[in-house]
Amino acid sequence: MKVTIGDPTKGNQKVHVKIHKHDTWNMDVTLAHIIVPMLKQLAETTHSGPPVDMTDVPSSFRWKEAHAYGEGEIDPLYFDRWSWVLNEMIFSFEAKIDPSIEDEYFTDDGYDAEGMERHQKRVANGFRLFGKYYESLWD
């Protein structure tokens, strides 16, 4: 299937996308291969970032000082929070591409169920953050 998106006569970028039947067999993995390099580039070159909910980041990224910031002012950890969120998204999509990451939870001593559960929760949280901040994935 070939899809054309956009209308250059209206100032939109024209994009051609070719989708093969095998692309939808494991669409989550196919999309992860596209998303990872885009997220990495955004993380490396970002000049801005959205307000990130304090509940979405570890306590070390939460600004504790009670200060009313004026328009255009940000706290010292503002961009660190966005960077952390992007890195969690990257971790999750890389885990989707390379499931061998989970191999570290199988050792000669057995299966580390707690470690695997922590890993799976982290992956799920990265996907949750991707959905939550999807419309902020621009620079």
Side-chain angles (χ1 to χ4, degrees), residues 4-132:
T4 302
I5 304 167
D7 182 352
T9 63
K10 295 182 180 176
N12 297 323
Q13 180 180 3
K14 190 173 183 179
V15 178
H16 299 283
V17 179
K18 187 166 185 168
I19 300 169
H20 300 278
K21 289 186 180 191
H22 66 267
D23 290 331
T24 54
W25 180 63
N26 270 350
M27 187 167 33
D28 54 344
V29 176
T30 300
L31 290 172
H33 281 283
I34 297 165
I35 292 168
V36 166
M38 294 181 82
L39 286 174
K40 285 183 174 183
Q41 179 176 311
L42 180 62
E44 291 171 7
T45 62
T46 191
H47 297 91
S48 62
V52 172
D53 290 342
M54 297 292 178
T55 56
D56 286 334
V57 296
S59 59
S60 60
F61 289 94
R62 297 177 188 160
W63 186 242
K64 295 167 180 60
E65 184 177 314
H67 176 77
Y69 287 93
E71 189 172 331
E73 290 184 314
I74 57 172
D75 70 71
L77 298 175
Y78 184 92
F79 292 110
D80 293 336
R81 284 190 292 278
W82 181 232
S83 178
W84 185 87
V85 166
L86 287 172
N87 286 325
E88 288 302 290
M89 292 179 198
I90 291 166
F91 175 85
S92 297
F93 283 100
E94 285 181 334
K96 178 58 72 174
I97 291 169
D98 184 7
S100 70
I101 293 170
E102 296 177 357
D103 290 348
E104 70 183 77
Y105 302 104
F106 295 93
T107 66
D108 292 337
D109 298 328
Y111 173 65
D112 179 5
E114 290 178 9
M116 178 61 94
E117 184 178 346
R118 281 191 305 274
H119 172 81
Q120 289 173 334
K121 284 183 178 181
R122 183 177 177 194
V123 169
N125 187 54
F127 291 143
R128 180 189 69 80
L129 293 169
F130 182 80
K132 182 172 183 175

